[in-house]
Every structure is written in C-alpha cells, then in structure tokens.
Amino acid sequence: MTLRPIALAIAAVACSSAFAQQSTVTVFGILDAGVQRLENGSQARWLQSIDGLRTSRLGFRGTEDLGGGLSASFHLEGALSPDDGNAAGMNWRRRSTVSLASSTLGELRLGRDYTPTFWNYSVFSPFGTNGVGSSGNLIYGFGGKSSTAPTIVRSDNSVGYFLPKGLGGVYGQAMVALGEGAPTGKFHGVRLGFASGPVDVAVAASDTVNNAAGDKFNNFNLGGSYDFGVVKLMGIYSVSMQTTAKQTTTLLGFTMPIGAGELRASWIHADKANSPDDATQLAVGYVYWLSKRTALYTSAAQIKNKAAATFVIPGGAPLSAGQSSTGVEMGVSHSF
Amino acid sequence: MTLRPIALAIAAVACSSAFAQQSTVTVFGILDAGVQRLENGSQARWLQSIDGLRTSRLGFRGTEDLGGGLSASFHLEGALSPDDGNAAGMNWRRRSTVSLASSTLGELRLGRDYTPTFWNYSVFSPFGTNGVGSSGNLIYGFGGKSSTAPTIVRSDNSVGYFLPKGLGGVYGQAMVALGEGAPTGKFHGVRLGFASGPVDVAVAASDTVNNAAGDKFNNFNLGGSYDFGVVKLMGIYSVSMQTTAKQTTTLLGFTMPIGAGELRASWIHADKANSPDDATQLAVGYVYWLSKRTALYTSAAQIKNKAAATFVIPGGAPLSAGQSSTGVEMGVSHSF
Amino acid sequence: MTLRPIALAIAAVACSSAFAQQSTVTVFGILDAGVQRLENGSQARWLQSIDGLRTSRLGFRGTEDLGGGLSASFHLEGALSPDDGNAAGMNWRRRSTVSLASSTLGELRLGRDYTPTFWNYSVFSPFGTNGVGSSGNLIYGFGGKSSTAPTIVRSDNSVGYFLPKGLGGVYGQAMVALGEGAPTGKFHGVRLGFASGPVDVAVAASDTVNNAAGDKFNNFNLGGSYDFGVVKLMGIYSVSMQTTAKQTTTLLGFTMPIGAGELRASWIHADKANSPDDATQLAVGYVYWLSKRTALYTSAAQIKNKAAATFVIPGGAPLSAGQSSTGVEMGVSHSF
C-alpha cells in the first residue's frame, strides 16, 4: 500500500548488499469523505459523510521472516474520522494483533480482531459494510431495529487460528475470546470457506455470552459469490438469535465492471421472527477508479420499514417507527 | 520534512528503474518545549511551556500523481503536548483532509481544516499564534476577554476549494461547513490574497451560525507584509462581530534577520466597541536557528488590560479584571 | 529497530550523492500478548495478558546531527493494549521528549519522561517491571498494598540532564519537574551509576511534593548486577517514605542463558515499617528468542501476603487482606 519499505530496502540492496536485513514497518491508511443527504420520514439533513466506499483508517503493520517457513507479524489499525479529526480520540480498535505463523500449520493470532462471523457480511455484499448501502444497516440490527450486536464485528481478548494457504482453495479460521471474569463477552466462532476460480463460498457461526444470566447471542451466516466476468453475483443468508428473539437477513446483489468503474446493487431483507417489524433495503451505486488507490463514488439507498421496525441509515434525523430512511452520497476514497 | 520517502524512492529509482511507482507517506512533526514564567496581577508561576515557537504536532501526509495534472492527497495532523505526553489523548484535529487537485483548476478538500479567516492571524503576525506573544491572545478573544471564538481557527465537516498556483501571485480559498442538523457550526468563508516579490497581502471574511437562535459570528480580517530585506514589516486588521457585540483588533510588527537568527516584535491592540474593556499586548523575542529544523528561542510579552478587560497569556494563575498578564519563556523547537 | 531510514538513506546516497541530507524518523514498537491464569485467594481467572515480557508500545524517534558534536532529538512513545485496541485512547505518556545533546557536555531533555528513581527497578530486576514477576508488584506499592506511588515511574513537566558517554563507565542523570501551581507533582531526582565489564551498579534518590500540605514522597534505591557469564546476579534495595510511613523492598534475582533462551528468577520482599503487613514474591520464568525481535516466554509468580497486606499481581479477581496472589502466563513478544 504505502512506503513500500520492503521495495525500498530491495532497491537499497540492489545498490549495496550491506543493507540486506532491513526490518520493515508499513504505514498505511485510507481517507474517505464526501457529502451525503439523508432523509428519515420527512426530515432531510445534509452531512459531510465519511467511509462511503471504504472505512477511513490509519495503521502500522509488519512481518518478520523467522526462517523455516515461520514468521512473526503485527497489525495495528484504527479508524479515522476526517470530518472531525477523531474528536473522540485515536485508538487501534479496528485491529491490534500479534501473530506467529507457519506456512504449513497456519497462523496463531492474539489481540483485538474481527470475529469469524463478520467476514461474510463484508466480502459478499456489493457495498461491503460501508456507506448508505452498507449490509450492516440491516444485518447488524436485531429486534426490528438497527444496533450493533456484540461481537458481530470484532472482539477484544481474542485468540484466533487461521488455516494456512495452499489447501486447494479451502480457507478458514476459529476464534475464542476470554470472558476475563466479566459477565459478558466470552466468544466462540468459526468460519470455513472455499474459493476457486469464479466461486467463493463461506459459512460461519459464533456464540457470545451476552448478559449476566449467561444468555448467548448466536450468529450464523452463509455467503457466496460467483464471478461471471460481465457480472459478479453475491448473496448472504444470516441468522441472529438470543433466547426467543431471532432475525433472519437475506442479501442478493451484484457488481458489474463498466469501464474503469463498477456498478453495484443490492437488495437486503430483514425478517424479525414472529413479528411484522421487518425491513427491506435497496441500494445502487457506481465507483470510478482514478487509480488503484483513489476512487470517486456515488451511492443511493432506501430502507423501507414495516410495522414498528426502525432500521435506519445512520447519521440522519431521528426516525420514527415504520418510517423510511433514504440516503444519497458522493465522495472520494484515497488509500496510502 | 522527514523520511523524505519521495527522495528515497527517487534514489531507489536511480539505482533500479523497477521501483518507479513507489507510493509515499511522509511522517512529520514538531516537538517544541521550554520553560516559562507567567505573572498575572501579582501571582507568578513557573511552567514547562510548549509550542513557544511552533505548535508541537505529529502528522502523516502524502500525494498521489494521477496523471494529466491531477493528484489526490491526504493530510493528517494532530497536536502533541510533550509536557504531559498527550494526557487528554491523541487525535488529528489540527487537520484531517483528503483532496483532489488539478494543476489548472485548483484543489477540492474535504474534512476538518483551518478556516480561511484563520490564516492572516498567523502569517502576518511576527509570533504567529504561538507562545507568549501569540496574536491569538487578543485576536481569538471577544467581549473584552480571551476565549476561542468558534471556527476562528478550524472547522469540522468542511468542503474547501483552493485556487491553483500560477495565477500571477493571486491566491485564494473558500470553505463551506455543513451544519449537519446541529444548531451551530454552519460556516461560510473566503480568503483572497496577492503575493509577489516583497509584497504579501490578503483579505478574509466568514460567518458561522453560533447559537440556536441562528445568530451569526462574523469575522473579517486583512493582513499584509512587506519585506525590505533588513526588516519585514507586518500588519493585521481584524473585526469580529455577533449581533451587537464587536471587537476590532490591530497588529503592527516586524521580524529582522540577525545572524543565524531573527528578532521579532509586535504591538497588538484590541478594542471592544462601546466599552472601555480594551487591551494592548507588546511582545519581543529572538529565535536562533541551529539548523533548518531546530531552533532556540526566547520571548517576552505583556498584556495591559483596561477597565474590566481580562485578556491573558494562557497557562498562568487566575487573572482578575483589569490586571496585567506578563510572560517570559525560552525553549527549543525541533521539527522532523 | 525498524524502517532504518538512516540505513536506507545511506544506501540511497551510495547510489546518488544528491541525497546526503535525508532526515530520519524511526517508527518503532512492540506487541506483546499471551494468556494468563491469575488466582487470588481461591478465585481463579483466565485472561488475555499483555506486556508479559516487554511493554507493548508504538513510538516515533529521530536524531538530527547539528555538527560540532551537537545533536537535537525527539522521542514519542505510547503504550499499546493489543487486548482491546487501546479502548482508552492512544497517547504518548510513556515518553514525550525533545533533547539537545553535546557529545562532551551531555543531554538536556524536556517533557514527560521516566524519573531517575525508576530505572534501577527495571534494569536490575530479572523480570524488569513486566509480567506476573514484575518488580513493580511489590516495589510500586506502599502502605502494605500494591499501588503506583506518584512519579515512581514517570513525571510530567520535567527538565532532565544526562551525563555524556565516555566518563570511564560513570553514568548519571538528574531531573526537576515543575509544580506548575498545582498542589502536588513538584519533583527532584538524581541517579548515578557505574558500568564496566561485568559490573553495573547505580544509586538513585528523589522527592515529590505529594499533597496539599506539602508532604514529600521520598524514594531511594540502589541496584546492581554482576555478569558471571553462566549466570547474571542482580539485586535491588529500595526505600519509600512519606511522613511516618515507610516501605523497604529488597530484590535478589538472576538470569541464566540456556541455548537461545534465558532462565529468570527473582525473590522480592516488601517490609512495611512498624507493621506486620509484609509480603514476599517469588518468580521464575523462561524466555526463548526466535530472533532478535521475537520471543516466546512463560513465567510464574506468587505473592504471599502477611497479616493484612494486599500486594497483588494485577488483573485478577479482588484480593482479600492476607491472601496469596498467584499467576502463570505464556505469550509472544514481537518488536519492530
């Protein structure tokens, strides 16, 4: 992405072989900002939006070759909010991990990291979990409303294991997070997938101790994509449960290369069990890549809430039960 | 400033043309610390001072050449407080922006940034807005007292435009910041200047919605400098208004190169309309540059408050109405 | 440690002498995480531990050669908590300093820094001040319980002086921290040592104004090590006092190289004057270095509290007076 100290070191070495053992830190990041119009019910609001295409971030990472196929690595990454300069303070809560990896045995990873059940929501959604068309608008919700269910994205105190590469397209990971004596947060999760040629499919499941009574938040999801070249189809099926509450969410979408850009569209439906509080989100957008690092984008999305559902595109005016939430945005996304 | 990854990349390329497309992040910053004695009324206090010459900061920035005169860039910069190691937490509130620029059409910039009305207060003040002689001690104030008026330095949620270079010395910028549904913060501002040879002059104006009733804080300022070689004269004229309240502030000053250093002096007068609560600040100082990056400096300043005015050099003991505020400092400023 | 921009710059220069004046920023850090079992009284708890071998950190530092033996430098360093991604926010409170140094006269350092009385607790402890066997578990305590006495590790607002190298093995530093009008925090401290061949000894003393009445927290310590090659013996003697309260702490320990690793053990005894609330800590551990940057480690320690003492290995369940505190951990420590 950035600095490419490895490449620089190689260049240096090309000049002088005395500099062969440079260690490396890569400074990387993304700034993504734009302008957004959100309309909840009849109340419209203009905003400076961020993260419409990719989440703004700053990070540091590096890998050390320990020889014999072994390596140690670290990854620090925190969210940026260019609209207010991180008024709430900088942290590294997107990811803070240290790893030991073997090319044949896989990777052991410690720290704060994404849960195995997160990835399908991002990888198999045309809009990922970003912008007005984010799959998270519906999938992160529960009980007929938008909210971030615990560990649906990341977990503190985790010990993770990742399968090595070269298993004929099979990939997978497992994670355990310790409760540390707290009433909530104890987590188990696993993800298994297969990617080969145009096909990519994965299934994931997790449970999290979610209250003092020990009730568990259960999350199961299945995602897949097939790349026909002219169009890439995607789908997600997700179930979230805690005791008697249950939400089933289904996504269908596609991306279609057009010139130096890409058309994106998705349909998502959230079904609250034994309740009419359901919602449907439709989203369409276009991304134009000025370079590998920089893109212009525009997206539009609408959530239609049924009955008393309050799913919402975040950031706008307060939404009353059953109202629609509509958003349009355009922005620039630049990585380094 | 630092790392100079571009230069390194160029050097690398000079060795091997295979490394022509290195992307670049520049890590840059300043640490500026010293010792200060502040006396408000009869109460003196010794302090470890920071930012006496330049504001301590850490930042990351980079530019990507998109071809055809187009470029994308980012700039992240946050304040450092070396006296307590940023006890309040690190952020990027000095500047967090992403830009698209054309060499002929100018730059579009999104994020948290300086307002157009800030720059004259820094550029045309011998002490900038730093240290005991800061122009901000009086100019940031309003209503007969020191305080930071909203958006007098920076604004969240801004969309800015900058004129391209090569307009025969004319430079300028405009900024709009969205209110985002909040009762305050909506901003419009513009700055236009001309620099050629020894002359530099600029004028700026802005308004900010500043309370729930929609009252606007209006700021207008004019600044200029003329470099005679042996001495560089500077001046600022500033007017701040909200409904019936008004403050007019005038600065006259100079910098004079002496050896590897520079003598600095300024006189500032703040006049509160229809009130005797005025104040005058006198400041004198010397900067000695050990290198392009590192300087030793010493400054002294005194604010004389009339009637019930309470303008103050920040950091000292509480100041009663009409008391004088005096400060002396020496320090080291190091950039990277 | 990392990036080695100096070396890169040198390499670049070897290619093209036009790039001789590169300035340098080194990005450096450590991520250290593992798993820990703590047992206080009869309550056991599993945790994701951090900092078992070395404190997790991120930093930026650099030195500018000013010519004639003079240099300017800066050092910014903040703690990382990979278990939760710095949920409390990032800062630079491990160290934030700017320095001017002369090769013959020594170094003047301004900012937040370690106090002179800290170093012996780290350098002459086999476990440093990290992990279940940290010397700090007992030494940082006072009044029969674990707690962090003020300025026992670092101080804000400090002005420090360090002796130059090349004094025949003599090293030393002095520090003053300004009270800045606050009732507490005014600090004076000094450390003097001698290191030559297998011998290293140092003595340090400090006082800190510690309450509004002006009572001082006094700290005196003496540490030493002798490296026999097959084993390195270490010892610390520490006295902490405030008005009539006093704690004397003694450490004896050793490190012993075994293969690519090192066996570590220490015994520490804290004696509260005129009280039976004493405690003893025993610790043993092994570190295996996979490379210069990366290690695996395991440690075990137990604190036995007498009478009503409540010294504790931090992080576990609440400890009642007189209970034992036991900890076992294993982890990975990776620097960059």
Side-chain angles (χ1 to χ4, degrees), chain A residues 93-94 112-119 121 129 140 148-155 175 219:
Chain A
R93 280 176 70 73
R94 285 181 53 82
R112 178 171 171 83
D113 196 10
Y114 292 89
T115 55
T117 22
F118 165 74
W119 288 111
Y121 298 147
T129 55
Y140 291 172
T148 300
T151 62
I152 205 157
V153 180
R154 299 178 184 87
S155 177
M175 179 190 275
N219 187 215

Side-chain angles (χ1 to χ4, degrees), chain B residues 1-4 7-8 10-12 14-15 27 31-35 45-49 58 60 80-87 89-90 290-294 296 331-336, chain C residues 3 5 8-9 11-12 15-16 19 21-25 27 60 62-64 66 70 72-76 90-93 96-98 100 110-112 155-159 178-181:
Chain B
M1 288 288 182
T2 179
L3 277 186
R4 312 258 170 125
L8 277 175
I10 293 169
C15 303
V27 183
L31 275 95
D32 185 314
V35 175
R45 186 175 288 178
W46 282 92
L47 301 162
Q48 176 155 84
S49 53
L58 174 67
F60 301 85
L80 295 176
S81 52
D83 53 341
D84 66 5
N86 283 68
M90 187 69 197
L290 295 166
S291 72
K292 284 187 180 178
R293 294 169 51 196
T294 304
L296 301 176
V332 57
S333 184
H334 174 63
S335 67
F336 56 92
Chain C
L3 275 185
L8 277 176
C15 304
S16 161
F19 299 98
Q21 295 300 322
Q22 301 310 329
S23 60
T24 61
V25 179
V27 183
F60 302 85
T63 299
E64 180 193 18
L66 297 169
L70 278 175
S73 61
F74 76 98
H75 188 116
L76 273 181
M90 187 67 197
N91 60 47
W92 313 108
R93 281 176 69 73
S96 286
T97 61
V98 56
L100 280 179
L110 300 173
R112 178 171 170 83
S155 177
D156 286 347
N157 307 312
S158 80
V159 179
L178 301 173
E180 304 213 341

Side-chain angles (χ1 to χ4, degrees), chain A:
Chain A
M1 288 288 185
T2 179
L3 275 187
R4 312 258 170 124
I6 298 167
L8 276 175
I10 292 168
V13 170
C15 303
S16 161
S17 60
F19 299 98
Q21 296 300 322
Q22 300 311 330
S23 58
T24 61
V25 179
T26 300
V27 183
F28 68 95
I30 294 173
L31 274 95
D32 185 315
V35 175
Q36 195 179 57
R37 185 180 182 277
L38 297 182
E39 191 175 336
N40 290 336
S42 60
Q43 281 196 277
R45 186 174 288 179
W46 283 91
L47 301 162
Q48 176 155 82
S49 53
I50 62 168
D51 305 349
L53 181 64
R54 299 178 293 186
T55 306
S56 298
R57 71 194 71 174
L58 175 67
F60 302 85
R61 63 174 176 235
T63 299
E64 180 194 18
D65 185 348
L66 296 169
L70 279 175
S71 63
S73 61
F74 75 99
H75 187 116
L76 273 182
E77 187 178 314
L80 295 176
S81 53
D83 52 342
D84 66 5
N86 284 69
M90 187 68 197
N91 60 47
W92 313 108
R93 280 176 70 73
R94 285 181 53 82
R95 183 172 157 196
S96 286
T97 60
V98 56
S99 295
L100 279 179
S102 150
S103 54
T104 53
L105 297 176
E107 176 186 348
L108 183 69
R109 188 186 291 181
L110 300 173
R112 178 171 171 83
D113 196 10
Y114 292 89
T115 55
T117 22
F118 165 74
W119 288 111
N120 291 342
Y121 298 147
S122 175
V123 173
F124 301 114
S125 161
F127 295 86
T129 55
N130 283 90
V132 295
S134 165
S135 65
N137 292 342
L138 265 58
I139 290 181
Y140 291 172
F142 196 59
K145 59 181 177 179
S146 285
S147 66
T148 300
T151 62
I152 205 157
V153 180
R154 299 178 184 87
S155 177
D156 287 346
N157 307 313
S158 80
V159 179
Y161 168 74
F162 294 75
L163 290 176
K165 294 185 177 179
L167 298 181
V170 174
Y171 58 88
Q173 68 179 106
M175 179 190 275
V176 177
L178 302 173
E180 305 213 343
T184 63
K186 197 172 180 178
F187 174 90
H188 304 88
V190 66
R191 182 175 184 239
L192 198 64
F194 175 77
S196 181
V199 176
D200 191 355
V201 290
V203 60
S206 68
D207 63 69
T208 312
V209 176
N210 201 26
N211 59 25
D215 292 331
K216 287 187 176 179
F217 173 79
N218 288 283
N219 187 215
F220 167 84
N221 59 68
L222 179 68
S225 64
Y226 195 96
D227 193 345
F228 290 96
V230 293
V231 65
K232 185 179 183 182
L233 299 184
M234 299 180 176
I236 302 172
Y237 176 77
S238 163
V239 180
S240 294
M241 289 179 289
Q242 185 169 336
T243 63
T244 59
K246 180 178 175 181
Q247 178 181 314
T248 305
T249 315
T250 311
L251 176 147
L252 292 174
F254 69 85
T255 61
M256 185 187 296
I258 300 182
E262 190 177 62
L263 184 69
R264 311 190 289 171
S266 72
W267 169 91
I268 318 182
H269 181 71
D271 179 87
K272 183 181 176 185
N274 307 314
S275 162
D277 300 348
D278 299 341
T280 303
Q281 174 177 293
L282 271 174
V284 63
Y286 183 70
V287 184
Y288 182 80
W289 291 94
L290 296 165
S291 72
K292 283 188 181 178
R293 296 169 51 195
T294 304
L296 301 176
Y297 61 87
T298 183
S299 308
Q302 183 170 54
I303 297 173
K304 293 211 172 183
N305 284 298
K306 289 189 179 168
T310 56
F311 291 92
V312 67
I313 299 171
L319 179 91
S320 299
Q323 285 186 328
S324 290
S325 181
T326 307
V328 185
E329 69 192 351
M330 57 181 298
V332 56
S333 184
H334 174 63
S335 68
F336 56 92

Side-chain angles (χ1 to χ4, degrees), chain C residues 26 30 33-34 38 52 77 92 137 162 186 190 192 204 211 219 224 231 241 253 258 264 278 288 325 330:
Chain C
T26 301
I30 294 173
L38 297 182
E77 186 179 315
W92 313 108
N137 292 343
F162 294 76
K186 197 172 179 179
V190 66
L192 198 64
N211 59 25
N219 187 216
V231 64
M241 288 179 291
I258 299 182
R264 311 189 290 172
D278 298 342
Y288 182 80
S325 181
M330 56 182 299

Side-chain angles (χ1 to χ4, degrees), chain C residues 94-105:
Chain C
R94 286 180 55 81
R95 184 172 156 195
S96 286
T97 61
V98 56
S99 295
L100 280 179
S102 149
S103 54
T104 54
L105 297 176

